[in-house]
Amino acid sequence: MNPDTQTLNPFPGLRPFRQDEDSLFFGREDQTLELRQRLGSQRLVAVVGTSGSGKSSLVRCGLLSELQGGKMLEAGTQWHIAVTHPGGDPL
């Protein structure tokens, strides 16, 4: 296929979506809203699910993009975000 005519695939494959890919992330608006509402009423929200179910994409691309985009201004604008990974050096 000619690189000039190759179209971009909107799906990142098996890796999670990144925050800068929020324009490609869709279909989980209700879950993102629910996370935002829960975070508005409590300080900690855990997202759990089976491997590969999209937890990281939901948090990074759904929730974090909205927080940094000003969707919870009533809770402040100075968010301290730490992305962790499983293993011996999670941060």
Side-chain angles (χ1 to χ4, degrees), residues 11-46:
F11 305 104
L14 296 178
R15 70 162 173 80
F17 281 90
R18 297 183 314 257
Q19 280 180 259
D20 63 338
E21 295 174 319
D22 60 343
S23 63
L24 304 174
F25 186 74
F26 60 91
R28 298 186 75 182
E29 295 83 6
D30 291 342
Q31 291 173 321
T32 301
L33 176 61
E34 183 178 349
L35 280 178
R36 208 173 72 222
Q37 289 171 337
R38 288 180 184 224
L39 190 59
S41 65
Q42 54 201 47
R43 293 178 56 113
L44 176 67
V45 175

Side-chain angles (χ1 to χ4, degrees), residues 28-75:
R28 298 186 75 182
E29 295 83 6
D30 291 342
Q31 291 173 321
T32 301
L33 176 61
E34 183 178 349
L35 280 178
R36 208 173 72 222
Q37 289 171 337
R38 288 180 184 224
L39 190 59
S41 65
Q42 54 201 47
R43 293 178 56 113
L44 176 67
V45 175
V47 178
V48 297
T50 59
S51 178
S53 63
K55 301 174 299 291
S56 295
S57 294
L58 177 62
V59 171
R60 289 180 185 172
C61 204
L63 181 63
L64 293 182
S65 292
E66 288 200 356
L67 293 180
Q68 292 181 326
K71 296 281 180 139
M72 280 186 64
L73 289 176
E74 66 279 0

